[in-house]
Amino acid sequence: MGAMSHQILLLLAVLTLSLAASQHRDQVSCKMVDKEVLCQGLSLLQVPSGLPRDIEALNLSGNQLRSILASPLGFYTAIRHLDLSTNEISFLQPGVFQALPHLEHINLAHNRLAVGTALSTGGLGPLPHVLSLDLSGNSLYSGLVERLLGEAPALRSLSLAENSLTRLARHTFGGTPALERLDLHSNVLMDIEDGAFDALPRLAHLNLSRNSLTCISDFSLQQLRVLDLSCNSIEAFQTAPEPRAEYQLTWLDLRENKLLHFPDLAALPRLTFLNVSNNLIRLPAGPPPGGEGLHAPSEGWSALPLLNPSRNASAHPLSQLLNLDLSYNEIELIPQGFLEHLTSLRFLNLSRNCLRAFEAQRAGSLPCLVLLDVSHNALEMLELGARALGSLRTLLLQDNALRDLPPYTFAGLVSLQRLNLQGNRVSPCGGPGEPGPPGCVAFSGISSLRILNLVDNEMEMLRAGAFLHTPLTELDLSANPGLDVAIGALAGLEASLEVLALQGNGLAVLQVDLPCFSCLKRLNLAENRLSRLPAWTQAVSLEVLDLRNNSFSLLPGSAMGGLETSLRRLYLQGNPLSCCGNGWLASQLHQGRVDVDATQDLICRFGSQEEVSLSHVRPEDCEKGGLKTVNLIIILTFTLVAAILLTTLATCCCVRRQKFNQQFKA
């Protein structure tokens, strides 16, 4: 009996020591910052028990917890923030969170709450003081949420994202009356029962994106400010016919749905952000018969209340709209008056539609617009009034079919800073007073313009003075094969231009005095036929020089010396570089002052011999090569002189023999 008692005492001692060691390991492995304990990613199987009792935040994310028990978690009664995300939790002991009277934030995202016993044990139980709760990524399906959620009268933020919900019932959120933010994105919601949100009078942010909703009818959440319905299958959006109060909605996202018409927004006067991109929207060509019929959804006119002339401008729907995205739709034309009352609009995106014309001619039209994107359409006509778009800074027109525009199309845009015309057929005129071809566009005298893109416009001639009095900082004239750059074409840009691109134009001669451009930092001359550059004899600002795929064999120091203090990157691949005579380039490679692209693959040639890497060429290689050349010349000269002497001697001998024969016969 005594021996057995001794063994029991020994076992208890071992268990006590083991528990102490376990507590010590918990304290050592977890990090503590003030009153926050960080135990994430430590492969823990249970909540540590040896932590200070007064901690206020405990992060146990990324471990292997399977159950949450009242002991030892209940010891830490001061906890406010509890992160249990990314574990394998399937069991919650009843009342486990009620033992933490100060608990305000719970994160249970990415666990296994739907497959375990958490639901059968009363779920989370009452959460009287909790403000935020994250249950995302738990495979929850309809019916389980109600069993999991208890009474949470103070809860303001709830995430049920990335679950398997298909339906929201009327009583789903009955225990969370203070909810302000609700995230339901990435579920399979197909049905929302009438009154599902009636118990949430403070709900301001609702995310229903990435679900399977097909229609929003009788929308009546007047208190809502932010609504995300993107990435569903919604074909129509309509507000309730008789709202009880004014809608507070300011942010509405309907992108990537199946809308056929512009949504009915007549009851949303506070809207500032609207995204209806990636839909099937077509705008009607003209007003419906009778002029007053703005209630025919099949014609799309109920969706355009902003065309109603009976409203004054300040009371008009969308009069406070700042951002409107209509990109990736099937719009062929903009109805007259559609944009007239968007007096606060700053950003308008109409890209990737089927537009053939765009006009803004009325004085004061879109007065606050800063960015207009009409790129990737089929524009053939562009009419911009002299006093319209007074605040426009960026105009994107790339990849259209613009040609033969009025000469002063862009001259009236007094605030324009960036203009992209890539992929059109625009031909610049010459300087002021210079005659230009029919249909050319004047780019001189636009004092606000800083960035201009004329890539791929099939330009044949860039005339002298084309950009006079237009202080551009960036100019891209690439991909215009056969372009003739006249002398003085870039005159007036010497003190402003920082970026110049002439790539892929087939230029054999560069008639631009580049050293005069004192601010130039990036120069792209790739894919031409150039073999010479103007001499940079004085220090300049050039940092990046792209000469790929040209005909350069030599880059002499006499021409490149002025770049040594500024040049940081030089691209030279695809040129027939000579191994000898490129002392300046070899010096840059060896000293590392300039980053020359692909130095291991930069190839050069010794005369007609095989190609070698320029970085492997030594000065003595060129000296030997020069000595061999001198020796070869001497040998050839000696051989030629010897041949001449032998020929002369043979001729003399032949003449003397003939004379001797004649004398002998005589």
Side-chain angles (χ1 to χ4, degrees), residues 3-4 23 58-59 99 105 117 140 144 150 169 195 370 399 431 469 477 495 514 517 536 567 570 604 609 616 640:
M4 184 176 294
Q23 293 176 348
L58 176 58
N59 188 338
H105 306 278
T117 57
L140 301 175
L144 298 187
V370 172
D399 294 305
H469 312 301
L477 300 167
L514 293 173
F517 290 76
W536 278 283
L567 197 63
L570 177 62
C604 67
Q609 296 179 10
H616 296 159
L640 181 61

Side-chain angles (χ1 to χ4, degrees), residues 248-269:
Q248 303 298 310
L249 198 66
T250 62
W251 198 95
L252 176 59
D253 194 342
L254 283 162
R255 61 190 161 88
E256 295 188 46
N257 278 285
K258 296 181 180 179
L259 290 172
L260 299 174
H261 307 295
F262 197 80
D264 180 3
L265 305 172
L268 306 177

Side-chain angles (χ1 to χ4, degrees), residues 368-388:
C368 296
L369 196 66
V370 172
L371 183 148
L372 173 59
D373 189 348
V374 203
S375 63
H376 301 279
N377 278 277
L379 287 183
E380 297 176 352
M381 186 184 76
L382 180 66
E383 296 184 3
L384 306 176
R387 290 182 292 171

